[in-house]
Amino acid sequence: QVQLVQSGGGSVQAGGSLRLSCSASGFTYSQKRVGWFRQAPGKEREGVAAIYSVGGGTTFYADGVKGRFAISQDNAKNTFYLQMNSLKPEDTAMYYCAADVGPLDSEYAFLFPEEYTYWGQGTQVTVSS
């Protein structure tokens, strides 16, 4: 049974940093994709960053977080991270990690929520101005 358990998050002032963690159990595929998504109240869930685990890991980012967020993986721990720097109030949302198996035809698809089967429980990130 696949289980994604998230940790991290919290409240921070604008310009600050947070790191989210996503620990995967029962999910040991070599060709896996893991994404971070967020959903603010009244808005649709959107992709923030994703990583395809083959080789050193290929990463994908939404335009609004490029240069500020970094996704990474620790294969030994089967854990994935989202380092968030230079946070802005508009980054405030519930953040979710998600995972699935195999590559996708388009790099943009890695940031589509519908391309992921397994989801973490979510963690709140609040950025105050």
Side-chain angles (χ1 to χ4, degrees):
Q1 181 178 357
V2 177
Q3 190 174 18
L4 303 179
V5 178
Q6 297 179 221
S7 60
S11 297
V12 67
Q13 289 191 329
S17 298
L18 287 171
R19 189 176 82 156
L20 307 182
S21 300
C22 176
S23 178
S25 61
F27 193 73
T28 56
Y29 303 96
S30 60
Q31 297 185 17
K32 53 182 172 283
R33 58 184 185 272
V34 173
W36 286 95
F37 299 83
R38 66 187 181 188
Q39 188 166 19
K43 295 188 176 182
E44 293 186 355
R45 191 169 297 188
E46 63 174 356
V48 174
I51 187 166
Y52 180 53
S53 64
V54 174
T58 303
T59 57
F60 310 89
Y61 295 96
D63 288 342
V65 305
K66 284 180 181 177
R68 299 191 299 123
F69 289 13
I71 188 172
S72 62
Q73 59 185 6
D74 184 330
N75 290 326
K77 296 181 179 179
N78 210 20
T79 299
F80 300 82
Y81 305 95
L82 183 68
Q83 177 67 43
M84 304 183 293
N85 301 323
S86 301
L87 282 161
K88 305 175 181 180
E90 51 263 44
D91 294 319
T92 295
M94 185 72 76
Y95 282 70
Y96 300 89
C97 67
D100 214 307
V101 180
L104 296 171
D105 292 337
S106 165
E107 63 179 78
Y108 302 104
F110 281 87
L111 298 180
F112 294 170
E114 57 267 31
E115 296 292 351
Y116 293 82
T117 300
Y118 308 103
W119 289 82
Q121 81 276 19
T123 185
Q124 179 66 37
V125 170
T126 302
V127 185
S128 58
S129 58

